[in-house]
């Protein structure tokens, strides 16, 4: 939940939603998503249906993160949030 400064690197953790999870009405927006395992809300970018990330990679959402360490921790959380996510995720430097 740190603010990512303009001159610092930014990482993304792309995720796929679990079967039946539908955020289509939020396509292309940043939403606040509650994570039960952490009892906190975090921002999530819902990938637009016509975006390259959705068309080519099948990604549904992206978490913007401040470091590789933060991305690793978020990836661990995602594997526990099976009501929301499929468990598949991948990290990229943005």
């Amino acid at each position: 939940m740190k603010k990512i400064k303009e001159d610092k690197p930014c990482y993304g953790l792309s995720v796929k939603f679990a079967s039946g999870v539908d955020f289509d009405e939020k396509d292309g927006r940043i939403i606040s998503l509650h994570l039960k395992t952490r009892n906190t809300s975090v921002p999530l970018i819902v990938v637009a249906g016509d975006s390259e990330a959705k068309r080519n990679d099948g990604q549904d959402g992206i978490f913007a993160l401040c470091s590789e360490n933060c991305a690793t921790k978020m990836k661990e959380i995602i594997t526990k949030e099976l009501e929301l996510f499929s468990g598949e995720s991948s990290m990229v430097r943005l």
Side-chain angles (χ1 to χ4, degrees):
M1 293 303 297
K2 292 180 183 177
K3 184 174 181 174
I4 302 170
K5 296 182 181 179
E6 237 179 83
D7 61 335
K8 299 295 180 184
C10 181
Y11 298 84
L13 182 67
S14 58
V15 295
K16 293 183 182 186
F17 297 141
S19 178
V21 174
D22 181 9
F23 287 114
D24 287 347
E25 74 280 359
K26 304 290 186 184
D27 274 8
R29 297 190 176 144
I30 299 172
I31 63 169
S32 181
L33 184 70
H34 183 77
L35 300 174
K36 289 182 182 180
T37 57
R38 298 285 303 217
N39 195 29
T40 191
S41 292
V42 296
L44 173 74
I45 302 164
V46 179
V47 174
D50 62 349
S51 70
E52 186 177 322
K54 185 75 163 185
R55 283 191 322 268
N56 296 342
D57 301 326
Q59 299 306 320
D60 296 314
I62 300 172
F63 291 101
L65 305 162
C66 63
S67 68
E68 289 183 55
N69 186 44
C70 186
T72 299
K73 289 179 183 178
M74 182 60 83
K75 194 169 184 166
E76 291 172 13
I77 292 166
I78 295 307
T79 61
K80 297 174 186 173
E81 295 281 339
L82 296 178
E83 289 178 11
L84 291 173
F85 304 105
S86 70
E88 292 181 51
S89 60
S90 58
M91 187 181 70
V92 296
R93 185 170 176 172
L94 301 176

